[in-house]
Amino acid sequence: MDKQKAIIVVLGGLLLSSVAVGLYSYLGDRERISELEAQLNLLREQEQRSAVDRRVSKQMEEIAYGQQALSEERSQEAIRQSEIAKEMRLLSEAERQKAIEARGIAESSATEAMTAYQMAERQRSEADRQRQQAEYAKLVADTLNYISLGRTLGSQSYSIYQTGDKEMGNMLAYASYLYTSDYGGDLYTPSVFQALTQSAGSRRSWSSHNGSISRIDILPGSGELLTVSTYGEVFAHTMQGDQISTNRLMRDRQYCFRDVFAAKNGKGYAISNTGHLVIIDGNRTTHSTNDFSSRVISVENVDKPFSLQGMNDGGQLLIIGENSVALLDTATDRIIGTRRLPFRIIYSGRRDYKPLLFDNRGGMHLVNSLDDMTDERTGVEGQVTAFASSKNEHLAAYGMYDGIIWLTDDSGKIRKLVGHLSQVTKLKFDGKRLYSSSYDGKLLFWMTDDQQIKPITLFQSGSWLTDFIFSTDKNYIWTGEQNGTVTEYLISLPKIAQRLRQNVKRDFTQEEWNYYVGKGIPYKKMRNEK
């Protein structure tokens, strides 16, 4: 029983197993069938898509064929355009080469034109230069001719004036002035200057002193001219219009005045070689002789005083004798010191606003104070009788006993000026001009900046010139002479020209012009000249 049950159980188990296996197989088949169906559906879909893709591909292929044809057409067009561009490039290159060649030709032509222009400019410049040289040469020739004409007219004027024909002399003198000044000539050329001064009446003389005039000075403020003589005379002169008014301040033959000094305080000092100093008070309101007060003091311990030099801006006065000096206080008019010297003084001048003493052994001594003197050598041979220096021009001039003037500068250069025949009595610088006077009666001036310094005679006196001085405005020179004459000389060329114009009363006639001036000279009116 039990065995049957066991078999039944086994059979039941097998049956259940077979059912389970069949059921599993069935279910598995169903799943495979579903999968196969799904795959079939997928394949169908893929086939449909493939069909669509084939149609699309065929369309794309057709489009591609169309694009390829279009591309080929465009490629052919591009090739054709490239060939056209190449042809255009070749044509442009040819044109460029032609342009380059044309530019080269143009540049060559421009260069040739510039060369021709420059050559023409050089020729024009050369022509202008030659024309200017010709014009300059003509101008120089004309200038020299007219300057020479001015000198000739001056000589004629001087001679004709001397014969008494003053009218023609004046006209010729003014014509000489015009041609000389207009063409840059030297108006101080003797033939010109003498004619000008003669016709202008530039010289006026007054016989005042009985003795020889020793020195001249001008009182500050009043402008009066102080003169002293060897006859003990002290005079004050004042110009009143065309006349000179002379006041005799002193006349005493016991004195022999050698120098006069006009101080800034208005006083005048006159020194006599007798050892006496005359002090004149010039502070007054009128020109009457009685307005002057004067007194005489003795200068002790100074042998034969002969010169006066201001010191310390005029506050003191150095009285110079042959072997000694004394110092005067101009405020109190008292001698405040004296000094004996180991040499003999023969002349005194000024340098650097200080007294300068010259001895008889070729030495000179700059007086810094009464107790301080700087000793030097003159550097020139002979006896010095006059001296002047110009600090601005760095020049010094030494006038000698024999009439020679030595001109020196800071570099040590020495030049010899020959013009005077006897002792030089006075030297004075005015800028680059040096004025000199001498016992030969000549008043000369020298242009110190000329290469060859030659004398120009301002005036020639018939007597010894002992001293001269410029007027305050430097338009005039006053001279003192050995015969006691005081002379005024007009040296201002503008004033001389003004007087000449006033003296010319008419113009030349054509015949006079042709005779005196020349037929080839353009006629010039004298009366209309300014």
Side-chain angles (χ1 to χ4, degrees), residues 440-483:
D440 62 10
K442 291 181 181 179
L443 183 64
L444 306 179
F445 85 85
W446 318 72
M447 298 300 295
T448 60
D449 55 348
D450 288 346
Q451 292 297 323
Q452 293 182 346
I453 305 177
K454 296 181 179 180
I456 299 173
T457 302
L458 288 176
F459 301 102
Q460 173 72 60
S461 173
S463 178
W464 293 359
L465 291 183
T466 56
D467 195 16
F468 69 87
I469 192 171
F470 289 98
S471 63
T472 305
D473 55 13
K474 294 187 177 181
N475 289 331
Y476 299 88
I477 288 180
W478 290 87
T479 64
E481 302 178 21
Q482 182 268 341
N483 62 6

mmCIF file of all heavy atoms in Angstrom, residues 440-483:
data_model
loop_
_atom_site.group_PDB
_atom_site.id
_atom_site.type_symbol
_atom_site.label_atom_id
_atom_site.label_comp_id
_atom_site.label_asym_id
_atom_site.label_seq_id
_atom_site.Cartn_x
_atom_site.Cartn_y
_atom_site.Cartn_z
ATOM 1 N N ASP A 440 102.673 175.669 -31.567
ATOM 2 C CA ASP A 440 102.698 175.993 -32.995
ATOM 3 C C ASP A 440 101.406 176.675 -33.460
ATOM 4 O O ASP A 440 101.258 177.006 -34.637
ATOM 5 C CB ASP A 440 102.983 174.758 -33.839
ATOM 6 C CG ASP A 440 101.912 173.670 -33.688
ATOM 7 O OD1 ASP A 440 100.859 173.930 -33.076
ATOM 8 O OD2 ASP A 440 102.129 172.537 -34.173
ATOM 9 N N GLY A 441 100.456 176.869 -32.549
ATOM 10 C CA GLY A 441 99.216 177.563 -32.864
ATOM 11 C C GLY A 441 98.137 176.687 -33.450
ATOM 12 O O GLY A 441 97.050 177.169 -33.775
ATOM 13 N N LYS A 442 98.391 175.371 -33.563
ATOM 14 C CA LYS A 442 97.411 174.477 -34.178
ATOM 15 C C LYS A 442 96.530 173.819 -33.124
ATOM 16 O O LYS A 442 97.001 173.424 -32.054
ATOM 17 C CB LYS A 442 98.114 173.381 -34.985
ATOM 18 C CG LYS A 442 98.813 173.867 -36.238
ATOM 19 C CD LYS A 442 99.450 172.691 -36.958
ATOM 20 C CE LYS A 442 100.182 173.150 -38.211
ATOM 21 N NZ LYS A 442 100.832 172.003 -38.906
ATOM 22 N N LEU A 443 95.265 173.704 -33.463
ATOM 23 C CA LEU A 443 94.329 172.887 -32.698
ATOM 24 C C LEU A 443 93.951 171.711 -33.600
ATOM 25 O O LEU A 443 93.275 171.888 -34.613
ATOM 26 C CB LEU A 443 93.094 173.696 -32.309
ATOM 27 C CG LEU A 443 92.062 172.983 -31.429
ATOM 28 C CD1 LEU A 443 92.666 172.630 -30.076
ATOM 29 C CD2 LEU A 443 90.831 173.856 -31.218
ATOM 30 N N LEU A 444 94.414 170.520 -33.256
ATOM 31 C CA LEU A 444 94.236 169.332 -34.085
ATOM 32 C C LEU A 444 93.307 168.344 -33.393
ATOM 33 O O LEU A 444 93.122 168.382 -32.170
ATOM 34 C CB LEU A 444 95.576 168.633 -34.346
ATOM 35 C CG LEU A 444 96.721 169.456 -34.937
ATOM 36 C CD1 LEU A 444 97.964 168.584 -35.102
ATOM 37 C CD2 LEU A 444 96.322 170.060 -36.273
ATOM 38 N N PHE A 445 92.738 167.459 -34.196
ATOM 39 C CA PHE A 445 92.129 166.269 -33.592
ATOM 40 C C PHE A 445 92.463 165.057 -34.430
ATOM 41 O O PHE A 445 92.740 165.145 -35.624
ATOM 42 C CB PHE A 445 90.629 166.447 -33.346
ATOM 43 C CG PHE A 445 89.738 166.138 -34.499
ATOM 44 C CD1 PHE A 445 89.322 164.843 -34.742
ATOM 45 C CD2 PHE A 445 89.274 167.145 -35.331
ATOM 46 C CE1 PHE A 445 88.474 164.558 -35.792
ATOM 47 C CE2 PHE A 445 88.429 166.866 -36.381
ATOM 48 C CZ PHE A 445 88.030 165.567 -36.617
ATOM 49 N N TRP A 446 92.430 163.896 -33.762
ATOM 50 C CA TRP A 446 92.895 162.638 -34.337
ATOM 51 C C TRP A 446 91.818 161.581 -34.122
ATOM 52 O O TRP A 446 91.268 161.457 -33.023
ATOM 53 C CB TRP A 446 94.184 162.170 -33.653
ATOM 54 C CG TRP A 446 95.187 163.246 -33.384
ATOM 55 C CD1 TRP A 446 95.096 164.244 -32.439
ATOM 56 C CD2 TRP A 446 96.439 163.440 -34.050
ATOM 57 N NE1 TRP A 446 96.197 165.031 -32.472
ATOM 58 C CE2 TRP A 446 97.056 164.578 -33.458
ATOM 59 C CE3 TRP A 446 97.107 162.774 -35.076
ATOM 60 C CZ2 TRP A 446 98.297 165.050 -33.853
ATOM 61 C CZ3 TRP A 446 98.350 163.243 -35.470
ATOM 62 C CH2 TRP A 446 98.930 164.370 -34.872
ATOM 63 N N MET A 447 91.515 160.808 -35.181
ATOM 64 C CA MET A 447 90.591 159.677 -35.055
ATOM 65 C C MET A 447 91.403 158.455 -34.665
ATOM 66 O O MET A 447 92.102 157.858 -35.484
ATOM 67 C CB MET A 447 89.851 159.449 -36.376
ATOM 68 C CG MET A 447 88.978 160.617 -36.810
ATOM 69 S SD MET A 447 87.680 161.021 -35.627
ATOM 70 C CE MET A 447 86.694 159.531 -35.698
ATOM 71 N N THR A 448 91.340 158.078 -33.397
ATOM 72 C CA THR A 448 92.230 157.044 -32.870
ATOM 73 C C THR A 448 91.885 155.640 -33.344
ATOM 74 O O THR A 448 92.669 154.718 -33.156
ATOM 75 C CB THR A 448 92.217 157.068 -31.333
ATOM 76 O OG1 THR A 448 90.881 156.832 -30.865
ATOM 77 C CG2 THR A 448 92.692 158.419 -30.820
ATOM 78 N N ASP A 449 90.687 155.442 -33.930
ATOM 79 C CA ASP A 449 90.320 154.109 -34.398
ATOM 80 C C ASP A 449 90.702 153.894 -35.859
ATOM 81 O O ASP A 449 90.427 152.819 -36.414
ATOM 82 C CB ASP A 449 88.826 153.847 -34.210
ATOM 83 C CG ASP A 449 87.960 154.907 -34.870
ATOM 84 O OD1 ASP A 449 88.505 155.947 -35.278
ATOM 85 O OD2 ASP A 449 86.745 154.695 -34.976
ATOM 86 N N ASP A 450 91.314 154.865 -36.513
ATOM 87 C CA ASP A 450 91.783 154.684 -37.888
ATOM 88 C C ASP A 450 93.052 153.838 -37.893
ATOM 89 O O ASP A 450 93.828 153.849 -36.924
ATOM 90 C CB ASP A 450 92.074 156.037 -38.546
ATOM 91 C CG ASP A 450 90.792 156.800 -38.862
ATOM 92 O OD1 ASP A 450 89.720 156.161 -38.807
ATOM 93 O OD2 ASP A 450 90.876 158.007 -39.134
ATOM 94 N N GLN A 451 93.264 153.100 -38.996
ATOM 95 C CA GLN A 451 94.485 152.312 -39.120
ATOM 96 C C GLN A 451 95.701 153.225 -39.178
ATOM 97 O O GLN A 451 96.725 152.960 -38.536
ATOM 98 C CB GLN A 451 94.412 151.436 -40.375
ATOM 99 C CG GLN A 451 93.378 150.330 -40.305
ATOM 100 C CD GLN A 451 93.672 149.328 -39.209
ATOM 101 O OE1 GLN A 451 94.832 148.988 -38.944
ATOM 102 N NE2 GLN A 451 92.630 148.835 -38.555
ATOM 103 N N GLN A 452 95.594 154.261 -39.967
ATOM 104 C CA GLN A 452 96.649 155.258 -40.036
ATOM 105 C C GLN A 452 96.088 156.566 -39.482
ATOM 106 O O GLN A 452 95.251 157.208 -40.114
ATOM 107 C CB GLN A 452 97.139 155.447 -41.471
ATOM 108 C CG GLN A 452 97.850 154.213 -42.036
ATOM 109 C CD GLN A 452 98.366 154.465 -43.444
ATOM 110 O OE1 GLN A 452 97.985 155.428 -44.091
ATOM 111 N NE2 GLN A 452 99.241 153.593 -43.905
ATOM 112 N N ILE A 453 96.549 156.920 -38.293
ATOM 113 C CA ILE A 453 96.007 158.091 -37.615
ATOM 114 C C ILE A 453 96.719 159.324 -38.152
ATOM 115 O O ILE A 453 97.934 159.483 -37.992
ATOM 116 C CB ILE A 453 96.192 157.976 -36.095
ATOM 117 C CG1 ILE A 453 95.579 156.665 -35.586
ATOM 118 C CG2 ILE A 453 95.550 159.161 -35.394
ATOM 119 C CD1 ILE A 453 95.785 156.433 -34.121
ATOM 120 N N LYS A 454 95.942 160.187 -38.793
ATOM 121 C CA LYS A 454 96.495 161.417 -39.350
ATOM 122 C C LYS A 454 95.815 162.615 -38.705
ATOM 123 O O LYS A 454 94.624 162.573 -38.388
ATOM 124 C CB LYS A 454 96.308 161.453 -40.865
ATOM 125 C CG LYS A 454 97.068 160.349 -41.601
ATOM 126 C CD LYS A 454 96.867 160.461 -43.108
ATOM 127 C CE LYS A 454 97.635 159.368 -43.834
ATOM 128 N NZ LYS A 454 97.461 159.462 -45.309
ATOM 129 N N PRO A 455 96.562 163.709 -38.530
ATOM 130 C CA PRO A 455 95.972 164.886 -37.874
ATOM 131 C C PRO A 455 95.013 165.627 -38.791
ATOM 132 O O PRO A 455 95.197 165.673 -40.006
ATOM 133 C CB PRO A 455 97.197 165.743 -37.551
ATOM 134 C CG PRO A 455 98.190 165.386 -38.618
ATOM 135 C CD PRO A 455 97.977 163.917 -38.894
ATOM 136 N N ILE A 456 93.987 166.176 -38.197
ATOM 137 C CA ILE A 456 93.037 167.046 -38.895
ATOM 138 C C ILE A 456 93.084 168.402 -38.202
ATOM 139 O O ILE A 456 92.859 168.498 -36.991
ATOM 140 C CB ILE A 456 91.618 166.468 -38.861
ATOM 141 C CG1 ILE A 456 91.586 165.111 -39.571
ATOM 142 C CG2 ILE A 456 90.623 167.430 -39.500
ATOM 143 C CD1 ILE A 456 90.275 164.390 -39.441
ATOM 144 N N THR A 457 93.408 169.415 -38.962
ATOM 145 C CA THR A 457 93.540 170.753 -38.386
ATOM 146 C C THR A 457 92.168 171.385 -38.240
ATOM 147 O O THR A 457 91.481 171.642 -39.226
ATOM 148 C CB THR A 457 94.437 171.643 -39.268
ATOM 149 O OG1 THR A 457 95.723 171.025 -39.406
ATOM 150 C CG2 THR A 457 94.599 173.016 -38.648
ATOM 151 N N LEU A 458 91.780 171.620 -36.986
ATOM 152 C CA LEU A 458 90.535 172.345 -36.741
ATOM 153 C C LEU A 458 90.747 173.833 -37.000
ATOM 154 O O LEU A 458 89.978 174.454 -37.733
ATOM 155 C CB LEU A 458 90.064 172.115 -35.311
ATOM 156 C CG LEU A 458 89.496 170.724 -34.990
ATOM 157 C CD1 LEU A 458 89.168 170.629 -33.508
ATOM 158 C CD2 LEU A 458 88.257 170.443 -35.807
ATOM 159 N N PHE A 459 91.799 174.376 -36.391
ATOM 160 C CA PHE A 459 92.071 175.793 -36.553
ATOM 161 C C PHE A 459 93.572 176.037 -36.430
ATOM 162 O O PHE A 459 94.296 175.260 -35.809
ATOM 163 C CB PHE A 459 91.321 176.628 -35.490
ATOM 164 C CG PHE A 459 89.837 176.441 -35.536
ATOM 165 C CD1 PHE A 459 89.191 175.624 -34.626
ATOM 166 C CD2 PHE A 459 89.085 177.084 -36.512
ATOM 167 C CE1 PHE A 459 87.828 175.444 -34.684
ATOM 168 C CE2 PHE A 459 87.716 176.902 -36.566
ATOM 169 C CZ PHE A 459 87.089 176.084 -35.656
ATOM 170 N N GLN A 460 93.997 177.123 -37.004
ATOM 171 C CA GLN A 460 95.380 177.574 -36.919
ATOM 172 C C GLN A 460 95.385 179.004 -36.392
ATOM 173 O O GLN A 460 94.820 179.916 -37.013
ATOM 174 C CB GLN A 460 96.060 177.516 -38.294
ATOM 175 C CG GLN A 460 97.456 178.118 -38.333
ATOM 176 C CD GLN A 460 98.475 177.244 -37.626
ATOM 177 O OE1 GLN A 460 98.687 176.094 -37.996
ATOM 178 N NE2 GLN A 460 99.110 177.802 -36.599
ATOM 179 N N SER A 461 96.001 179.188 -35.240
ATOM 180 C CA SER A 461 96.069 180.513 -34.641
ATOM 181 C C SER A 461 97.403 181.167 -34.987
ATOM 182 O O SER A 461 98.389 180.489 -35.279
ATOM 183 C CB SER A 461 95.912 180.411 -33.120
ATOM 184 O OG SER A 461 96.136 181.657 -32.509
ATOM 185 N N GLY A 462 97.421 182.488 -34.903
ATOM 186 C CA GLY A 462 98.662 183.212 -35.134
ATOM 187 C C GLY A 462 99.502 183.342 -33.891
ATOM 188 O O GLY A 462 100.558 183.984 -33.920
ATOM 189 N N SER A 463 99.058 182.740 -32.789
ATOM 190 C CA SER A 463 99.781 182.829 -31.527
ATOM 191 C C SER A 463 99.856 181.448 -30.894
ATOM 192 O O SER A 463 99.172 180.506 -31.310
ATOM 193 C CB SER A 463 99.086 183.817 -30.593
ATOM 194 O OG SER A 463 99.739 183.902 -29.351
ATOM 195 N N TRP A 464 100.703 181.330 -29.860
ATOM 196 C CA TRP A 464 100.783 180.052 -29.156
ATOM 197 C C TRP A 464 99.442 179.713 -28.509
ATOM 198 O O TRP A 464 98.791 180.582 -27.908
ATOM 199 C CB TRP A 464 101.836 180.120 -28.048
ATOM 200 C CG TRP A 464 103.251 180.273 -28.541
ATOM 201 C CD1 TRP A 464 103.679 180.333 -29.818
ATOM 202 C CD2 TRP A 464 104.398 180.399 -27.705
ATOM 203 N NE1 TRP A 464 105.031 180.484 -29.869
ATOM 204 C CE2 TRP A 464 105.518 180.514 -28.574
ATOM 205 C CE3 TRP A 464 104.626 180.410 -26.335
ATOM 206 C CZ2 TRP A 464 106.821 180.658 -28.107
ATOM 207 C CZ3 TRP A 464 105.921 180.542 -25.854
ATOM 208 C CH2 TRP A 464 107.007 180.665 -26.729
ATOM 209 N N LEU A 465 99.045 178.459 -28.633
ATOM 210 C CA LEU A 465 97.861 177.974 -27.901
ATOM 211 C C LEU A 465 98.337 177.370 -26.592
ATOM 212 O O LEU A 465 99.091 176.391 -26.577
ATOM 213 C CB LEU A 465 97.109 176.928 -28.732
ATOM 214 C CG LEU A 465 96.396 177.412 -29.997
ATOM 215 C CD1 LEU A 465 95.653 176.257 -30.659
ATOM 216 C CD2 LEU A 465 95.430 178.541 -29.689
ATOM 217 N N THR A 466 97.907 177.958 -25.487
ATOM 218 C CA THR A 466 98.356 177.492 -24.174
ATOM 219 C C THR A 466 97.374 176.537 -23.508
ATOM 220 O O THR A 466 97.770 175.703 -22.693
ATOM 221 C CB THR A 466 98.583 178.698 -23.249
ATOM 222 O OG1 THR A 466 97.371 179.466 -23.188
ATOM 223 C CG2 THR A 466 99.713 179.575 -23.786
ATOM 224 N N ASP A 467 96.094 176.629 -23.860
ATOM 225 C CA ASP A 467 95.093 175.758 -23.239
ATOM 226 C C ASP A 467 93.814 175.814 -24.061
ATOM 227 O O ASP A 467 93.594 176.745 -24.850
ATOM 228 C CB ASP A 467 94.803 176.207 -21.803
ATOM 229 C CG ASP A 467 94.049 175.152 -20.996
ATOM 230 O OD1 ASP A 467 94.019 173.983 -21.433
ATOM 231 O OD2 ASP A 467 93.491 175.501 -19.936
ATOM 232 N N PHE A 468 92.957 174.790 -23.898
ATOM 233 C CA PHE A 468 91.628 174.812 -24.510
ATOM 234 C C PHE A 468 90.680 174.007 -23.640
ATOM 235 O O PHE A 468 91.095 173.170 -22.827
ATOM 236 C CB PHE A 468 91.652 174.267 -25.949
ATOM 237 C CG PHE A 468 91.912 172.788 -26.059
ATOM 238 C CD1 PHE A 468 90.881 171.861 -25.985
ATOM 239 C CD2 PHE A 468 93.213 172.317 -26.233
ATOM 240 C CE1 PHE A 468 91.110 170.503 -26.086
ATOM 241 C CE2 PHE A 468 93.457 170.954 -26.335
ATOM 242 C CZ PHE A 468 92.409 170.043 -26.261
ATOM 243 N N ILE A 469 89.381 174.260 -23.825
ATOM 244 C CA ILE A 469 88.369 173.545 -23.053
ATOM 245 C C ILE A 469 87.090 173.494 -23.876
ATOM 246 O O ILE A 469 86.804 174.409 -24.662
ATOM 247 C CB ILE A 469 88.123 174.234 -21.691
ATOM 248 C CG1 ILE A 469 87.285 173.339 -20.775
ATOM 249 C CG2 ILE A 469 87.461 175.589 -21.878
ATOM 250 C CD1 ILE A 469 87.207 173.869 -19.348
ATOM 251 N N PHE A 470 86.329 172.415 -23.720
ATOM 252 C CA PHE A 470 85.040 172.286 -24.392
ATOM 253 C C PHE A 470 83.967 173.056 -23.624
ATOM 254 O O PHE A 470 83.999 173.135 -22.388
ATOM 255 C CB PHE A 470 84.605 170.818 -24.477
ATOM 256 C CG PHE A 470 85.397 169.996 -25.440
ATOM 257 C CD1 PHE A 470 86.438 169.198 -24.994
ATOM 258 C CD2 PHE A 470 85.108 170.011 -26.790
ATOM 259 C CE1 PHE A 470 87.164 168.437 -25.880
ATOM 260 C CE2 PHE A 470 85.828 169.252 -27.687
ATOM 261 C CZ PHE A 470 86.872 168.461 -27.232
ATOM 262 N N SER A 471 83.011 173.584 -24.371
ATOM 263 C CA SER A 471 81.831 174.136 -23.708
ATOM 264 C C SER A 471 81.025 172.994 -23.102
ATOM 265 O O SER A 471 81.240 171.817 -23.412
ATOM 266 C CB SER A 471 80.979 174.919 -24.710
ATOM 267 O OG SER A 471 80.484 174.053 -25.731
ATOM 268 N N THR A 472 80.085 173.342 -22.245
ATOM 269 C CA THR A 472 79.313 172.300 -21.554
ATOM 270 C C THR A 472 78.574 171.398 -22.530
ATOM 271 O O THR A 472 78.498 170.180 -22.330
ATOM 272 C CB THR A 472 78.312 172.958 -20.584
ATOM 273 O OG1 THR A 472 79.011 173.820 -19.692
ATOM 274 C CG2 THR A 472 77.573 171.894 -19.781
ATOM 275 N N ASP A 473 78.034 171.959 -23.623
ATOM 276 C CA ASP A 473 77.311 171.157 -24.613
ATOM 277 C C ASP A 473 78.227 170.583 -25.694
ATOM 278 O O ASP A 473 77.767 169.897 -26.606
ATOM 279 C CB ASP A 473 76.214 171.979 -25.280
ATOM 280 C CG ASP A 473 76.751 173.277 -25.899
ATOM 281 O OD1 ASP A 473 77.983 173.425 -26.038
ATOM 282 O OD2 ASP A 473 75.930 174.147 -26.241
ATOM 283 N N LYS A 474 79.530 170.883 -25.616
ATOM 284 C CA LYS A 474 80.546 170.396 -26.557
ATOM 285 C C LYS A 474 80.323 170.879 -27.993
ATOM 286 O O LYS A 474 80.856 170.298 -28.931
ATOM 287 C CB LYS A 474 80.642 168.865 -26.537
ATOM 288 C CG LYS A 474 81.156 168.313 -25.226
ATOM 289 C CD LYS A 474 81.407 166.823 -25.289
ATOM 290 C CE LYS A 474 81.981 166.324 -23.972
ATOM 291 N NZ LYS A 474 82.263 164.865 -24.005
ATOM 292 N N ASN A 475 79.554 171.943 -28.144
ATOM 293 C CA ASN A 475 79.385 172.542 -29.469
ATOM 294 C C ASN A 475 80.517 173.508 -29.799
ATOM 295 O O ASN A 475 80.729 173.842 -30.971
ATOM 296 C CB ASN A 475 78.049 173.285 -29.563
ATOM 297 C CG ASN A 475 76.865 172.332 -29.605
ATOM 298 O OD1 ASN A 475 76.985 171.202 -30.076
ATOM 299 N ND2 ASN A 475 75.725 172.771 -29.104
ATOM 300 N N TYR A 476 81.226 173.956 -28.764
ATOM 301 C CA TYR A 476 82.276 174.943 -28.950
ATOM 302 C C TYR A 476 83.544 174.498 -28.226
ATOM 303 O O TYR A 476 83.494 173.727 -27.260
ATOM 304 C CB TYR A 476 81.855 176.321 -28.406
ATOM 305 C CG TYR A 476 80.638 176.907 -29.084
ATOM 306 C CD1 TYR A 476 79.356 176.617 -28.624
ATOM 307 C CD2 TYR A 476 80.770 177.749 -30.180
ATOM 308 C CE1 TYR A 476 78.231 177.162 -29.239
ATOM 309 C CE2 TYR A 476 79.654 178.289 -30.802
ATOM 310 C CZ TYR A 476 78.397 177.993 -30.328
ATOM 311 O OH TYR A 476 77.302 178.526 -30.944
ATOM 312 N N ILE A 477 84.677 175.021 -28.696
ATOM 313 C CA ILE A 477 85.950 174.914 -28.000
ATOM 314 C C ILE A 477 86.443 176.320 -27.718
ATOM 315 O O ILE A 477 86.448 177.188 -28.600
ATOM 316 C CB ILE A 477 86.995 174.145 -28.836
ATOM 317 C CG1 ILE A 477 86.658 172.653 -28.882
ATOM 318 C CG2 ILE A 477 88.390 174.330 -28.258
ATOM 319 C CD1 ILE A 477 87.644 171.835 -29.678
ATOM 320 N N TRP A 478 86.825 176.551 -26.456
ATOM 321 C CA TRP A 478 87.423 177.824 -26.059
ATOM 322 C C TRP A 478 88.926 177.622 -25.938
ATOM 323 O O TRP A 478 89.387 176.635 -25.343
ATOM 324 C CB TRP A 478 86.860 178.296 -24.720
ATOM 325 C CG TRP A 478 85.424 178.734 -24.784
ATOM 326 C CD1 TRP A 478 84.318 177.952 -24.647
ATOM 327 C CD2 TRP A 478 84.958 180.062 -25.005
ATOM 328 N NE1 TRP A 478 83.178 178.700 -24.772
ATOM 329 C CE2 TRP A 478 83.545 180.008 -24.988
ATOM 330 C CE3 TRP A 478 85.585 181.288 -25.201
ATOM 331 C CZ2 TRP A 478 82.758 181.138 -25.162
ATOM 332 C CZ3 TRP A 478 84.809 182.415 -25.381
ATOM 333 C CH2 TRP A 478 83.407 182.337 -25.360
ATOM 334 N N THR A 479 89.689 178.561 -26.493
ATOM 335 C CA THR A 479 91.149 178.482 -26.409
ATOM 336 C C THR A 479 91.699 179.740 -25.750
ATOM 337 O O THR A 479 91.124 180.835 -25.860
ATOM 338 C CB THR A 479 91.797 178.330 -27.798
ATOM 339 O OG1 THR A 479 91.535 179.497 -28.583
ATOM 340 C CG2 THR A 479 91.266 177.102 -28.505
ATOM 341 N N GLY A 480 92.824 179.558 -25.039
ATOM 342 C CA GLY A 480 93.589 180.674 -24.506
ATOM 343 C C GLY A 480 94.915 180.752 -25.236
ATOM 344 O O GLY A 480 95.542 179.714 -25.515
ATOM 345 N N GLU A 481 95.348 181.945 -25.562
ATOM 346 C CA GLU A 481 96.556 182.106 -26.360
ATOM 347 C C GLU A 481 97.605 182.919 -25.613
ATOM 348 O O GLU A 481 97.314 183.623 -24.642
ATOM 349 C CB GLU A 481 96.205 182.768 -27.700
ATOM 350 C CG GLU A 481 95.181 181.979 -28.493
ATOM 351 C CD GLU A 481 94.791 182.658 -29.803
ATOM 352 O OE1 GLU A 481 95.577 183.503 -30.291
ATOM 353 O OE2 GLU A 481 93.701 182.356 -30.324
ATOM 354 N N GLN A 482 98.821 182.817 -26.100
ATOM 355 C CA GLN A 482 99.942 183.493 -25.472
ATOM 356 C C GLN A 482 99.816 185.011 -25.534
ATOM 357 O O GLN A 482 100.284 185.726 -24.650
ATOM 358 C CB GLN A 482 101.247 183.019 -26.142
ATOM 359 C CG GLN A 482 102.511 183.595 -25.562
ATOM 360 C CD GLN A 482 102.952 184.875 -26.267
ATOM 361 O OE1 GLN A 482 102.512 185.124 -27.395
ATOM 362 N NE2 GLN A 482 103.783 185.671 -25.598
ATOM 363 N N ASN A 483 99.131 185.536 -26.544
ATOM 364 C CA ASN A 483 98.963 186.986 -26.672
ATOM 365 C C ASN A 483 97.779 187.522 -25.873
ATOM 366 O O ASN A 483 97.390 188.674 -26.029
ATOM 367 C CB ASN A 483 98.829 187.373 -28.141
ATOM 368 C CG ASN A 483 97.597 186.741 -28.803
ATOM 369 O OD1 ASN A 483 96.791 186.097 -28.142
ATOM 370 N ND2 ASN A 483 97.470 186.921 -30.108
#
